Amino acid sequence: MNQTLEKVSWNLDPTHSEIQFKVKHLVISTVTGQFSSFTATLESAGDGFDGANVSFAAEIDSISTNNEQRDGHLKSPDFFDATTYPHLRFQSTSFEAAGEGKYHVHGPLTIKDQTHPVTLTVDFGGVVVDPYGQTKVGFEGVGAISRKDFGLTWNATTEAGGMVVSDEVKLIFNVQFVKS
């Protein structure tokens, strides 16, 4: 007998979530940035997350690397062009179990109207009911992209011939969702 599981909707809890990126600077150190304004939804079947669907959007203008001048440059046409392309977006095409408490999430990421597939490796943190009676779920994940694939091509060369900004950007997220 086939049993259809009820769809469960989850909304992002932004006060307990963070979206970050890391990129090598001058090949010798790493700069960390984050988006302070973002939304996400998650839809699962029943209590499990295999086959879940997640959508995510971040406001480019909310980018912060703790350096106003660098943030302004990142928002400029040299990088994200926040005025023309105010959001980056991700929509999962698959959310599949990859071992105990682990998932691989695949889907297109769109930055500056450039869309490319990405794979995120996700650790399931668990489900808990908080002191206010809200059911919450947590995930931590990582991935990597080539910034040049998304039209983020600005760079400069150091005196020694090295690049100022690496092509690879690491994506890191720690998110909590609240059951609707």
Side-chain angles (χ1 to χ4, degrees):
M1 179 170 137
N2 278 344
Q3 185 177 8
T4 304
L5 296 175
E6 178 183 331
K7 295 283 184 193
V8 178
S9 295
W10 304 82
N11 294 313
L12 185 75
D13 179 352
T15 61
H16 296 105
S17 300
E18 59 188 10
I19 306 297
Q20 297 180 317
F21 60 89
K22 293 183 180 284
V23 65
K24 286 287 189 185
H25 181 253
L26 300 174
V27 190
I28 60 169
S29 65
T30 300
V31 170
T32 301
Q34 64 186 7
F35 294 96
S36 62
S37 182
F38 50 90
T39 60
T41 58
L42 176 68
E43 187 177 85
S44 63
D47 293 331
F49 293 94
D50 193 26
N53 185 22
V54 65
S55 63
F56 169 81
E59 288 183 29
I60 298 300
D61 204 41
S62 75
I63 200 168
S64 173
T65 62
N66 290 322
N67 180 294
E68 256 185 66
Q69 184 177 358
R70 180 172 48 223
D71 296 347
H73 192 204
L74 287 170
K75 294 173 190 179
S76 80
D78 280 347
F79 284 97
F80 287 100
D81 195 359
T83 301
T84 306
Y85 307 102
H87 297 95
L88 66 82
R89 300 183 188 286
F90 174 80
Q91 177 64 55
S92 68
T93 55
S94 70
F95 198 115
E96 57 193 20
E100 186 67 32
K102 298 200 178 292
Y103 294 91
H104 287 145
V105 179
H106 307 274
L109 174 64
T110 302
I111 301 172
K112 288 181 74 171
D113 276 352
Q114 302 286 318
T115 302
H116 296 281
V118 298
T119 298
L120 305 169
T121 301
V122 178
D123 290 326
F124 174 58
V127 177
V128 67
V129 176
D130 73 9
Y132 304 101
Q134 297 178 311
T135 302
K136 296 191 173 186
V137 62
F139 297 94
E140 291 183 11
V142 296
I145 61 168
S146 161
R147 67 183 178 87
K148 292 176 184 174
D149 286 350
F150 295 92
L152 306 173
T153 57
W154 181 92
N155 218 336
T157 307
T158 66
E159 286 181 19
M163 301 311 285
V164 172
V165 182
S166 70
D167 179 38
E168 182 182 80
V169 178
K170 294 178 183 174
L171 309 173
I172 301 125
F173 60 91
N174 188 348
V175 293
Q176 190 174 110
F177 289 89
V178 181
K179 191 175 190 177
S180 293

